[in-house]
Amino acid sequence: MNDILSRLSELLEERKSADPQSSYVAKLYAKGMDGILKKVGEEATETIIAAKDGNKEAIIYETADLWFHTLVMLAQAGLKPQDVLDELAKREGLSGITEKASRNT
């Protein structure tokens, strides 16, 4: 799984210097974080609708869109997918209730 995330991360970094007229990702970067976040929100909504409808193919498709646009958001913030994976690894084996309580103290 890390391979595809690494490849996408590299591609997203490359697209930071691409022409927004020829690259969808460069066009997103040109809109700044607010534009990227708007797109993440749209994709999250579409993912929720697909899940409510129960269409597995649509759930997969929309989740892929959400993940992709979230990766663009991370790149815009100067973060990598590995940063999120490292956080998930820290939480592995930790009760969700315990983890949430640790954030509130």
Side-chain angles (χ1 to χ4, degrees), residues 1-10 12-13 67 70-72 74-75 78-88:
M1 178 167 57
N2 275 352
D3 290 344
I4 186 67
L5 292 177
S6 294
R7 287 194 307 273
L8 273 172
S9 180
E10 289 173 18
L12 294 175
E13 284 300 318
W67 286 13
T70 300
L71 290 171
V72 174
L74 289 172
L79 298 167
K80 304 271 187 218
Q82 191 61 50
D83 297 316
V84 177
L85 294 173
D86 291 346
E87 178 62 26
L88 288 171

Side-chain angles (χ1 to χ4, degrees), residues 90-102:
K90 284 194 288 188
R91 297 180 187 188
E92 189 173 12
L94 183 63
S95 159
I97 294 170
T98 302
E99 190 281 326
K100 186 172 182 180
S102 73

Side-chain angles (χ1 to χ4, degrees), residues 32-46:
M33 186 61 92
D34 285 346
I36 294 167
L37 294 175
K38 181 179 177 187
K39 192 63 181 169
V40 170
E42 290 172 10
E43 297 302 339
T45 300
E46 291 172 3

Side-chain angles (χ1 to χ4, degrees), residues 4-75:
I4 186 67
L5 292 177
S6 294
R7 287 194 307 273
L8 273 172
S9 180
E10 289 173 18
L11 178 65
L12 294 175
E13 284 300 318
E14 290 172 13
R15 296 295 160 86
K16 284 183 176 179
S17 61
D19 179 3
Q21 297 296 331
S22 63
S23 166
Y24 173 73
V25 173
K27 188 182 291 187
L28 285 173
Y29 286 135
K31 293 179 180 180
M33 186 61 92
D34 285 346
I36 294 167
L37 294 175
K38 181 179 177 187
K39 192 63 181 169
V40 170
E42 290 172 10
E43 297 302 339
T45 300
E46 291 172 3
T47 302
I48 291 166
I49 291 167
K52 285 192 65 71
D53 290 345
N55 180 324
K56 290 182 180 187
E57 291 82 18
I59 294 169
I60 292 166
Y61 183 88
E62 296 302 344
T63 300
D65 280 353
L66 176 58
W67 286 13
F68 177 83
H69 289 89
T70 300
L71 290 171
V72 174
M73 176 200 66
L74 289 172

